[in-house]
Amino acid sequence: MQVTRDQRHKPRITASYRIETPLDIEQAAVAMAGEQSSGTFLRLEGETDELRERHAARVESVVRLETVATPSLSGALPGKHYACAAITLSWPLENIGTSLPNLLATILGNLTELRELSGIRLTDITLPNDFINAFAGPQFSINGTRRLTGVANGPLIGTIIKPSVGLSPEATADLVKQLVEAGIDFIKDDELIADPPYSPLAKRVPAVMRVIEEHAQHTGRKPMYAFNITGDIDEMRQRHDLVRDHGGTCVMASVNWIGMASLVGLRRHSELPIHGHRNGWGMFYRHPQIGMSYRAYQVLLRLAGADHLHVNGLGSKFAESNGSVIDSASACLTPLQEGSSRDDRAMPVFSSAQTIHQAHATFAALQSTDLIYTCGGGIMGHPHGAAAGCRSIHAAWQAATRGVALEDYAKEEPDLAVALRAFRRPFSG
Amino acid sequence: MQVTRDQRHKPRITASYRIETPLDIEQAAVAMAGEQSSGTFLRLEGETDELRERHAARVESVVRLETVATPSLSGALPGKHYACAAITLSWPLENIGTSLPNLLATILGNLTELRELSGIRLTDITLPNDFINAFAGPQFSINGTRRLTGVANGPLIGTIIKPSVGLSPEATADLVKQLVEAGIDFIKDDELIADPPYSPLAKRVPAVMRVIEEHAQHTGRKPMYAFNITGDIDEMRQRHDLVRDHGGTCVMASVNWIGMASLVGLRRHSELPIHGHRNGWGMFYRHPQIGMSYRAYQVLLRLAGADHLHVNGLGSKFAESNGSVIDSASACLTPLQEGSSRDDRAMPVFSSAQTIHQAHATFAALQSTDLIYTCGGGIMGHPHGAAAGCRSIHAAWQAATRGVALEDYAKEEPDLAVALRAFRRPFSG
């Protein structure tokens, strides 16, 4: 079918995939495009040539990869072998409009269940400016977060309240007092605590903010505390107001579980940076033939309004590879539109078993300090206490950015020297 | 550690999993419980015995299954072999409170990324009544849906507007006119259309409802149309009002993409049944070692407020097995609380390549007609038109419930006889 000039110049959404199929790969790509635009098992009366030309999804490219003997996913059509391919499809923006949940219904949706596919993973998305500009995006991004915390340069050094579960509001506030006096820039609730009966936000927020406001009055520095307000949309908006009214400067949500529709809804309401926690993300990346890449997903989370996005960390206790961690963080730091004046980057949040030892490798790979670097034991476990722990992490990052080896920098920085003896290198990278 | 009587009698949430691990399976279960309650890699000052007793997650059972030579998921710790197990963990309700997103952060969350696991799949959930009763649940359920449609017995016979993409509001209304005159009980938008520029709900809703209201005035029967209102939370609430104000009786949303926080938020606002579409669900079930069962997930969707829930269909074009389809539908029809007067069942929606041929097997397996049975080609493709198509599907279900073979029943039902010649049996079941 010939595509008219008119259709060629309309904005399109493109999505790239890694697929595995018992079919011919071109045939599989065509099936995917059909299923997600005008396809069904009968050609229908209303499905005119004009409609097809205007609305059909298009196969933009197909690149053959390896062939495997057994299917990666259950339920696929039987085949002699299963061919892998990298493919790109595109849709007219007009099919979807500017909506994140409906974008996902189109570019992923039923594709995940097609018997034509024994592997289906979304690897990348490119959105037209008309789509991008329909969303407010991150409200604070990196510069806003730096302004609120007074950290002009270097990573924000952060930590997570532990134990994750069970601390009373008063005990939390006591711990926050230690941490802010130790010089921390950023503190977050664990994702396991939001508004439980033993520590309701109505008590935790005032208790914590009293400590932080006092500290700010004495020192002129106000560390950022990300209160986990995860809940239903109305609860989150109320909790946001509670945090704001007590002088809080950040709210956190479990983005996978609240969902796109509520992240957009929270952003519309919010006057504070939104800290996006992605617990559950393993469901999307642990098998290479199902799910989606964070490179694709973080685009949607940023458009929806996340200012900070978790990316795990190098040498962490989690299953993600270091390469994937850096790819995710780099993606978060890449503007969505070239030449736009709007800052739509998200600040990547490194966490899980981070210590002085990951600063060099993280900086070397990312070539940026626009990040939040959270340590638990890496700060609290310092033999000379949390303040020495904070100083040692700062020193490690200074060494990294100045290109000085940790061991050399430690000669001038006693807290770093102690940390070097106390913390084992987690990996060889 | 001894568990006091006080702790033993507090309500607990239990979650069951299928896991695969390079570790000893008991050790893996303990790691999971620790990670999702009070664990970190250092024993912390604030982590008192009292706090642990009150808040620790508990390993309730561990059942060893097969051992495999290679890990199912990437990033797990290396092992000589990988042991599979069915395990059950429990948490005090107090850890979480009554929140669906926070429940998921606890029972799934970071577990999906643990290097201790090369497989992690949530298979079932049991929630205490205090949790269940905190949610409004389905507002209409089966009885409310039957009341609105005037279908007292048998399945609701439904269809989906096709082509999925590209029809104008007027063309959609024309198709709806044919369908309601053909005797359809239920029509839904495709999940690929919500509020796109070529068919905005502001035009589609009035155009469709004009046809349906006219039909209702003439016949006394008002077929249900599920308008796809998927969008951000504020858009969905506005669109719900639009549907309601034009006399519409159902709203549909892509539950995986809007998320739990918005489904709860929509339910709080809604005066209409909520039709839950689960496109994207393949991400959760296509690999047996990652994701979750619908048996578990549908509990959460019902608590959040879904009245109808998609379950695919027997012999469909999708990858799900027939056994899984029936297990999902049975789960939707099982009350969440024994002896409760509240009807918290969801009406399962069968779809994808359904024809006269699946009625017998579906009824035999489910022993219920409390379902929506949607056919596309199975109705529109009837050689004598859509009205004959509708009658043939009704006849097939009557035959199924009366225990009469299709071929025998067709002797008295000419539309069924024609359908029998027109539609191939999709499977042997």
Side-chain angles (χ1 to χ4, degrees):
Chain A
M1 178 174 47
Q2 197 163 4
V3 176
T4 61
R5 178 179 295 271
D6 179 48
Q7 293 308 315
R8 261 205 312 275
H9 289 89
K10 290 200 171 172
R12 294 181 80 84
I13 288 162
T14 67
S16 298
Y17 305 86
R18 184 187 161 86
I19 65 166
E20 183 189 288
T21 177
L23 310 180
D24 170 74
I25 55 175
E26 280 81 9
Q27 193 187 343
V30 167
M32 291 170 69
E35 173 70 21
Q36 294 308 89
S37 52
S38 59
T40 184
F41 70 100
L42 284 174
R43 176 81 181 242
L44 297 155
E45 198 185 334
E47 194 184 342
T48 60
D49 285 347
E50 188 198 341
L51 183 146
R52 285 173 69 88
E53 182 185 328
R54 187 164 157 186
H55 294 286
R58 215 152 64 196
V59 179
E60 299 287 350
S61 68
V62 176
V63 176
R64 181 177 298 278
L65 302 171
E66 73 276 18
T67 296
V68 295
T70 52
S72 293
L73 303 181
S74 68
L77 295 169
K80 283 186 188 159
H81 49 72
Y82 298 81
C84 297
I87 71 162
T88 299
L89 306 181
S90 75
W91 288 262
L93 173 58
E94 189 190 10
N95 280 25
I96 300 164
T98 52
S99 166
L100 293 168
N102 291 307
L103 175 69
L104 283 160
T106 296
I107 64 174
L108 215 42
N110 279 354
L111 292 180
T112 62
E113 298 204 54
L114 288 188
R115 285 162 60 79
E116 285 85 350
L117 301 174
S118 56
I120 165 71
R121 182 175 179 78
L122 178 68
T123 54
D124 210 349
I125 308 175
T126 310
L127 297 168
N129 289 347
D130 289 352
F131 192 101
I132 292 171
N133 291 324
F135 291 88
Q139 188 174 186
F140 290 84
S141 185
I142 291 157
N143 297 337
T145 299
R146 290 195 178 281
R147 194 177 63 244
L148 286 171
T149 52
V151 179
N153 296 299
L156 268 65
I157 306 301
T159 194
I160 303 157
I161 295 291
K162 299 275 179 185
S164 315
V165 170
L167 286 187
S168 67
E170 297 71 30
T172 306
D174 289 346
L175 188 52
V176 169
K177 191 161 192 299
Q178 286 179 47
L179 290 164
V180 297
E181 287 173 356
I184 204 91
D185 301 317
F186 177 91
I187 308 172
K188 63 178 282 295
D189 280 333
D190 196 89
E191 83 280 4
L192 295 175
I193 185 173
D195 191 48
Y198 68 86
S199 182
L201 283 162
K203 292 191 176 167
R204 190 160 87 250
V205 172
V208 166
M209 288 314 301
R210 195 175 307 124
V211 168
I212 290 180
E213 292 285 14
E214 267 181 34
H215 180 80
Q217 278 172 17
H218 287 119
T219 64
R221 276 188 74 245
K222 188 170 181 176
M224 180 176 276
Y225 191 105
F227 289 100
N228 183 4
I229 64 166
T230 301
D232 70 47
I233 181 64
D234 302 305
E235 289 169 342
M236 288 196 291
R237 285 172 169 174
Q238 288 158 11
R239 292 168 186 171
H240 162 277
D241 294 352
L242 177 76
V243 172
R244 179 203 57 199
D245 293 347
H246 284 85
T249 55
C250 189
V251 292
M252 161 177 157
S254 291
V255 292
N256 296 320
W257 307 129
I258 68 165
M260 282 289 159
S262 285
L263 187 52
V264 170
L266 177 60
R267 166 65 178 90
R268 186 173 293 130
H269 179 85
S270 186
E271 300 169 30
L272 304 174
I274 298 172
H275 186 88
H277 197 284
R278 61 172 192 175
N279 69 82
W281 174 246
M283 296 222 296
F284 301 107
Y285 81 79
R286 286 294 298 278
H287 196 286
Q289 292 289 3
I290 188 75
M292 54 178 151
S293 73
Y294 203 55
R295 179 160 282 277
Y297 191 43
Q298 57 84 34
V299 170
L300 311 183
L301 295 172
R302 283 157 66 190
L303 287 179
D307 293 284
H308 309 156
L309 284 172
H310 279 243
V311 296
N312 287 331
L314 300 186
S316 85
K317 69 182 174 187
F318 291 131
E320 190 174 6
S321 71
N322 289 344
S324 173
V325 169
I326 294 298
D327 187 62
S328 299
S330 301
C332 289
L333 290 171
T334 305
L336 296 176
Q337 282 184 84
E338 276 182 53
S340 167
S341 62
R342 188 170 83 166
D343 188 1
D344 56 20
R345 296 169 299 163
M347 201 160 191
V349 183
F350 287 76
S351 66
S352 173
Q354 302 297 288
T355 70
I356 53 164
H357 288 293
Q358 286 99 330
H360 280 72
T362 303
F363 182 73
L366 204 61
Q367 288 296 308
S368 173
T369 58
D370 285 333
L371 56 94
I372 302 175
Y373 191 75
T374 67
C375 310
I379 287 176
M380 302 302 280
H382 192 288
H384 296 178
C390 269
R391 288 191 299 265
S392 71
I393 301 289
H394 273 294
W397 272 92
Q398 284 163 6
T401 52
R402 291 175 193 178
V404 181
L406 268 192
E407 291 70 15
D408 293 336
Y409 211 73
K411 291 172 191 164
E412 309 294 319
E413 295 282 348
D415 300 313
L416 182 57
V418 171
L420 262 176
R421 289 192 295 271
F423 296 105
R424 237 174 6 138
R425 286 179 70 85
F427 68 112
S428 58
Chain B
M1 179 174 46
Q2 197 161 3
V3 176
T4 61
R5 177 178 295 270
D6 179 48
Q7 293 309 316
R8 261 205 313 274
H9 289 88
K10 290 201 170 172
R12 294 182 80 84
I13 288 162
T14 67
S16 298
Y17 305 86
R18 183 186 162 84
I19 63 166
E20 182 189 289
T21 177
L23 309 181
D24 171 74
I25 55 175
E26 280 81 8
Q27 193 187 344
V30 168
M32 290 169 69
E35 173 70 20
Q36 294 307 90
S37 51
S38 59
T40 184
F41 69 100
L42 284 174
R43 177 80 182 241
L44 296 155
E45 198 185 335
E47 194 183 341
T48 59
D49 283 347
E50 188 199 341
L51 183 146
R52 283 172 70 88
E53 182 184 328
R54 187 164 158 187
H55 293 286
R58 214 151 65 196
V59 178
E60 299 287 350
S61 68
V62 176
V63 177
R64 180 177 296 278
L65 303 171
E66 74 276 18
T67 296
V68 295
T70 52
S72 292
L73 303 181
S74 67
L77 294 169
K80 283 186 189 160
H81 49 72
Y82 298 82
C84 297
I87 71 162
T88 299
L89 306 181
S90 76
W91 289 260
L93 173 57
E94 190 191 10
N95 281 25
I96 300 165
T98 52
S99 166
L100 293 168
N102 291 307
L103 175 69
L104 282 160
T106 296
I107 64 174
L108 215 42
N110 280 353
L111 293 179
T112 62
E113 298 204 55
L114 288 189
R115 284 161 62 78
E116 285 84 350
L117 301 174
S118 56
I120 166 70
R121 184 175 178 78
L122 178 68
T123 54
D124 211 349
I125 307 176
T126 311
L127 297 168
N129 288 348
D130 288 352
F131 192 101
I132 292 170
N133 291 325
F135 292 87
Q139 187 174 186
F140 291 84
S141 186
I142 292 157
N143 296 338
T145 300
R146 289 195 178 283
R147 193 177 66 243
L148 287 171
T149 52
V151 180
N153 297 300
L156 269 65
I157 306 301
T159 194
I160 302 156
I161 295 291
K162 299 274 179 186
S164 315
V165 169
L167 286 187
S168 67
E170 297 71 31
T172 306
D174 289 347
L175 188 53
V176 169
K177 191 161 192 297
Q178 286 179 46
L179 290 164
V180 297
E181 287 173 357
I184 205 90
D185 302 318
F186 177 90
I187 309 172
K188 62 179 281 296
D189 281 331
D190 195 89
E191 83 280 5
L192 295 176
I193 185 173
D195 192 47
Y198 68 85
S199 182
L201 283 162
K203 293 190 176 168
R204 190 160 87 248
V205 172
V208 166
M209 288 314 301
R210 195 174 308 125
V211 169
I212 290 178
E213 291 287 14
E214 269 181 33
H215 180 80
Q217 278 172 18
H218 287 120
T219 64
R221 277 189 74 245
K222 188 170 181 175
M224 181 175 276
Y225 191 105
F227 289 98
N228 183 5
I229 64 165
T230 300
D232 71 47
I233 180 64
D234 302 304
E235 288 169 343
M236 288 196 291
R237 286 174 169 172
Q238 287 159 12
R239 292 168 186 171
H240 162 277
D241 294 352
L242 177 78
V243 172
R244 178 203 60 199
D245 292 347
H246 285 86
T249 56
C250 190
V251 292
M252 160 178 158
S254 291
V255 292
N256 296 320
W257 307 129
I258 66 165
M260 282 290 159
S262 285
L263 188 53
V264 169
L266 176 60
R267 166 67 179 91
R268 185 173 294 130
H269 179 85
S270 185
E271 300 168 30
L272 304 173
I274 298 172
H275 185 87
H277 197 284
R278 60 171 192 174
N279 69 83
W281 173 246
M283 295 224 296
F284 301 109
Y285 81 80
R286 286 292 299 277
H287 197 286
Q289 292 289 4
I290 187 76
M292 55 179 151
S293 73
Y294 204 55
R295 179 159 282 278
Y297 191 43
Q298 57 84 34
V299 170
L300 310 183
L301 294 172
R302 283 157 66 189
L303 288 179
D307 294 285
H308 310 155
L309 283 173
H310 278 244
V311 297
N312 286 332
L314 300 185
S316 85
K317 69 181 173 187
F318 290 131
E320 190 173 6
S321 72
N322 289 343
S324 173
V325 169
I326 294 300
D327 186 63
S328 298
S330 301
C332 289
L333 290 170
T334 306
L336 297 176
Q337 282 183 84
E338 274 181 56
S340 166
S341 62
R342 189 169 81 165
D343 188 1
D344 57 20
R345 296 170 300 163
M347 200 160 194
V349 183
F350 287 75
S351 67
S352 174
Q354 302 297 287
T355 70
I356 54 165
H357 289 292
Q358 286 98 332
H360 280 72
T362 304
F363 182 72
L366 203 62
Q367 289 296 307
S368 174
T369 60
D370 286 334
L371 56 96
I372 301 175
Y373 191 74
T374 67
C375 309
I379 286 176
M380 301 302 282
H382 192 286
H384 296 175
C390 270
R391 289 192 299 266
S392 70
I393 301 288
H394 273 295
W397 271 94
Q398 284 162 5
T401 53
R402 292 172 192 178
V404 182
L406 268 192
E407 292 70 16
D408 293 337
Y409 211 73
K411 291 170 190 164
E412 308 295 319
E413 294 283 346
D415 299 312
L416 182 56
V418 171
L420 262 176
R421 288 191 295 274
F423 296 104
R424 238 174 5 140
R425 286 178 70 84
F427 68 113
S428 58

